[in-house]
Amino acid sequence: MKRRTFLPTLFAFFCSLLITVSCAQNAPQADAPADAPATATAGEPIKLGYSSWAGWWPWAIAEEEGLFEKNGANVELIWFDGYLESIQSLAAGQLDANSQTLNDTISFAGDAVNGMVAVLVNDNSAGNDKVIGAEGIDTVADLAGKTVALEEGVVGDFLLSLALEDAGLTRDAVEIKNLETGAAATAFAAEQVDGFAGWVPFWETALSREGSKELASSADFPGAIPDLLVVTQKLIDSRPDQVQALVNTWFDILAFIEENPERANEIMAKRASVSDTEFEKYTEGTKIFTLDENLEAFSAGGDDMKYMPYASQKMAEFMVELKFIPEAPDLEAILDDQFIKAYTAKK
């Protein structure tokens, strides 16, 4: 379940993996208000990508239960086994919308041919990303001078940096062993390094090492790892009604989950191809956002990671400092709360 990769790569290498784009272009509808009634039969379907993360599995409910159609959303829902492919597809103009993290949106936005704009917070990681230490390492501060295996530039790296800062240290206090996240977990389990940072299910491999323990998790840093519905700026400009329909559908999904938990869990577990035990574990570490939490997250509330304007600034500084991106994109342009506010106004 590889996800949350910051590093943009050359799109050409992945061309054979990307979805075929129709040559037909939709007639512009830029003058339509964001909350205009949607017509599901109008225009080409909106291509919405998603992949295996607990906060995105609920999209399968909309497909199974007809919630897209109910809200006038003309959607082709596309599952990606590889999360990175979904981001690249959106950046290359092969998708109209995608389920991805704030950090990846910052990373890819500068090169996205149709722009990238977050319009909804699906969830926050609330424990599914962890920093693990070997036996005898009891706190994050104990990692000073030790070797930590992780995939540089991805969320595990960012989480480690936050945890070190919280402990009064910098990232330079540890020696980073840069490995793909799965390989990093395996190296830690094989006692080749002293620490590991990454996400589920890889930290389960890390914790198989005798005496190992969790030192910090995303639950300690609320808002640091938001998972989002991201659409192209082109879609917002040409078909704002469909963007609104997607946002409206999401909140219908949450209502369905509350009213029909067993059926909802059945659909999501089947889509994710996980056992009941795994499903429960992964959803426990994922905080699905309410409407009010969405409004708060988009607001410029202050110097706190739960506010995306602040979190995006911190993430951009982190990536620029480590030279993962040459410069930060326009951070105001990648956050748009008009559709959340329109939904709120109609409640």
Side-chain angles (χ1 to χ4, degrees):
M1 189 166 62
K2 181 162 183 178
R3 58 187 279 273
R4 298 161 154 76
T5 303
F6 285 154
L7 297 175
T9 56
L10 294 175
F11 296 137
F13 179 77
F14 290 93
C15 282
S16 63
L17 298 175
L18 300 177
I19 305 162
T20 302
V21 180
S22 169
C23 293
Q25 297 296 317
N26 300 315
Q29 303 171 20
D31 294 334
D35 59 350
T39 303
T41 57
E44 291 293 314
I46 301 303
K47 292 183 171 65
L48 168 59
Y50 72 133
S51 51
S52 196
W53 174 249
W56 300 328
W57 295 338
W59 286 121
I61 297 171
E63 185 173 52
E64 287 284 330
E65 295 296 324
L67 300 183
F68 287 127
E69 292 85 351
K70 174 187 172 185
N71 284 281
N74 185 7
V75 174
E76 180 184 351
L77 189 61
I78 302 169
W79 176 265
F80 286 82
D81 289 323
Y83 167 67
L84 178 58
E85 294 170 27
S86 75
I87 310 169
Q88 291 170 327
S89 295
L90 184 66
Q94 308 291 336
L95 292 175
D96 303 295
N98 190 46
S99 305
Q100 58 191 58
T101 62
L102 176 58
N103 51 271
D104 288 317
T105 303
I106 294 169
S107 181
F108 280 79
D111 295 323
V113 296
N114 293 324
M116 284 189 179
V117 185
V119 296
L120 170 75
V121 182
N122 302 110
D123 70 276
N124 270 192
S125 175
N128 274 348
D129 298 83
K130 298 184 187 295
V131 177
I132 308 296
E135 187 174 12
I137 299 175
D138 299 316
T139 67
V140 171
D142 292 340
L143 287 173
K146 306 295 186 182
T147 301
V148 180
L150 52 75
E151 189 170 350
E152 284 191 324
V154 304
V155 166
D157 196 350
F158 184 59
L159 176 62
L160 175 66
S161 296
L162 290 176
L164 288 168
E165 182 180 357
D166 192 54
L169 302 171
T170 68
R171 189 173 179 274
D172 294 336
V174 301
E175 180 180 345
I176 300 295
K177 186 174 182 62
N178 182 24
L179 296 170
E180 181 274 327
T181 303
T186 299
F188 177 81
E191 303 186 8
Q192 297 171 3
V193 293
D194 308 300
F196 164 78
W199 56 86
V200 68
F202 301 111
W203 51 254
E204 293 184 297
T205 298
L207 286 173
S208 68
R209 175 173 172 174
E210 186 176 355
S212 62
K213 62 182 69 64
E214 175 185 321
L215 305 178
S217 83
S218 50
D220 302 319
F221 302 95
I225 306 176
D227 301 298
L228 313 168
L229 170 63
V230 177
V231 304
T232 64
Q233 184 63 52
K234 179 180 178 181
L235 185 65
I236 291 175
D237 294 339
S238 64
R239 302 176 74 183
D241 60 322
Q242 285 295 291
V243 180
Q244 189 66 58
L246 287 175
V247 170
N248 296 352
T249 299
W250 179 258
F251 290 106
D252 266 8
I253 293 170
L254 300 190
F256 183 91
I257 293 172
E258 184 174 356
E259 295 166 7
N260 307 276
E262 291 186 8
R263 172 62 177 155
N265 290 350
E266 176 188 353
I267 294 170
M268 291 189 287
K270 180 180 178 182
R271 172 61 279 183
S273 300
V274 297
S275 68
D276 291 343
T277 301
E278 290 171 326
F279 179 81
E280 183 176 351
K281 181 186 301 183
Y282 298 161
T283 52
E284 280 180 356
T286 307
K287 176 178 172 50
I288 300 295
F289 264 37
T290 65
L291 176 59
D292 287 343
E293 287 166 336
N294 262 273
L295 291 168
E296 181 181 45
F298 275 99
S299 70
D303 296 345
D304 191 303
M305 291 299 290
K306 69 180 180 180
Y307 302 111
M308 289 200 296
Y310 177 77
S312 61
Q313 184 63 48
K314 291 282 287 185
M315 290 176 185
E317 290 172 357
F318 168 75
M319 287 184 279
V320 171
E321 180 182 352
L322 297 183
K323 296 182 170 54
F324 290 114
I325 56 175
E327 61 182 3
D330 181 350
L331 297 178
E332 290 187 8
I334 66 171
L335 300 175
D336 189 343
D337 63 358
Q338 66 168 305
F339 303 99
I340 292 293
K341 288 181 174 178
Y343 178 83
T344 303
K346 293 180 70 174
K347 281 183 63 64

